[in-house]
Amino acid sequence: GVVMKAYEVIKKFGWQQGWWGNENEGFCVGGAISRAYRTFENRDQAMKRVGDALQEDVIDWNDAEGRTKRQVLALLRKVDV
């Protein structure tokens, strides 16, 4: 699905908070979506799907204190179905 590519990016490169990220240090949710999709249309669709599921800002949710990689991956799996 449209969100599963971002899931795969985080599984491969790792997850982080506070910035978009890179292949050496991992990616936040938004960074993983940007890394996974080459077209703005696909990126926007994936961000909207995640944001709609959360009912809050994706970046704020990703960067919340206490957030874990496990929670991020679980969200992306859930949203992808």
Side-chain angles (χ1 to χ4, degrees), residues 25-65:
E25 298 179 33
F27 292 90
C28 71
V29 173
I33 289 170
S34 289
R35 168 71 169 72
Y37 298 101
R38 301 287 182 223
T39 68
F40 288 113
E41 181 180 343
N42 288 341
R43 283 183 229 173
D44 290 348
Q45 183 181 5
M47 285 292 280
K48 181 177 180 352
R49 183 172 283 181
V50 174
D52 287 351
L54 290 171
Q55 293 295 302
E56 67 179 282
D57 181 76
V58 174
I59 305 305
D60 290 344
W61 182 87
N62 181 88
D63 291 347
E65 188 174 331

Side-chain angles (χ1 to χ4, degrees), residues 2-11 15 28-30 32-33 46 49-50 58 61 69-81:
V2 71
V3 177
M4 193 50 72
K5 287 184 181 181
Y7 173 93
E8 292 167 3
V9 167
I10 291 175
K11 284 290 280 188
W15 170 77
C28 71
V29 173
I33 289 170
R49 183 172 283 181
V50 174
V58 174
W61 182 87
K69 179 180 177 182
R70 172 179 250 161
Q71 291 171 319
V72 169
L73 292 175
L75 170 71
L76 294 175
R77 274 193 311 270
K78 176 184 170 187
V79 170
D80 194 63
V81 296

